[in-house]
Amino acid sequence: QNEADPTFTFQVKDYLADTPTWALFGAAEEGFDPTDTRHRKKKKHPKYTRFDEDGIPTHDHNNTALTGEERLSLRSLMEQKKTEVGCGTTVTELKSGVKRIE
C-alpha cells in the first residue's frame, strides 16, 4: 500500500485480524489450532508414597508396602548413588513430595 500511497503509515488496526473460531471461549478445540498436533501428557503420580528415615521407599503409589527384596534393591541403589554423589549425602523431601539429594 505504501507504493500506491506514499503518505500511508501503519497503525495498530492494520495488525489486527478477526479471532479464529477455534480460539474463541468455549470452542471445542479449546484454543488449539486444529491443524496442529496436540500432545497430552499423562499425569505424573509419585512412584512411592512413604519413606523410611534414610529416604528409602517403603510403600508404592497404591500405598502398598514394598517387599523386603524391593526395599533392599532400592537401598542398594541409594548407596550406589551416594557413592557417586559424595559421602555426606542426605535426602530431603520437599513440600511437593519431590526428593532432593544433597
Side-chain angles (χ1 to χ4, degrees):
Q1 247 184 348
N2 199 11
E3 287 181 17
D5 180 9
T7 62
F8 175 80
T9 56
F10 283 104
Q11 297 180 358
V12 173
K13 65 181 180 178
D14 294 317
Y15 290 98
L16 296 178
D18 290 336
T19 304
T21 57
W22 54 262
L24 295 174
F25 182 78
E29 296 86 1
E30 299 175 336
F32 288 89
D33 187 342
T35 61
D36 290 343
T37 303
R38 187 170 181 187
H39 301 281
R40 294 183 186 256
K41 293 182 179 180
K42 293 181 180 178
K43 292 186 178 182
K44 293 184 180 181
H45 298 286
K47 194 169 186 175
Y48 304 107
T49 56
R50 292 190 195 169
F51 301 84
D52 66 12
E53 62 279 351
D54 296 324
I56 309 298
T58 59
H59 291 73
D60 66 11
H61 66 282
N62 292 323
N63 217 15
T64 305
L66 299 175
T67 66
E69 186 177 313
E70 290 172 317
R71 290 178 63 196
L72 186 59
S73 172
L74 291 168
R75 183 172 296 282
S76 172
L77 181 61
M78 177 68 89
E79 293 302 322
Q80 178 186 355
K81 292 296 180 185
K82 282 182 179 181
T83 57
E84 288 176 13
V85 175
C87 186
T89 305
T90 59
V91 178
T92 307
E93 183 174 358
L94 304 176
K95 288 182 180 181
S96 64
V98 174
K99 301 292 183 190
R100 185 174 70 200
I101 299 175
E102 298 174 330

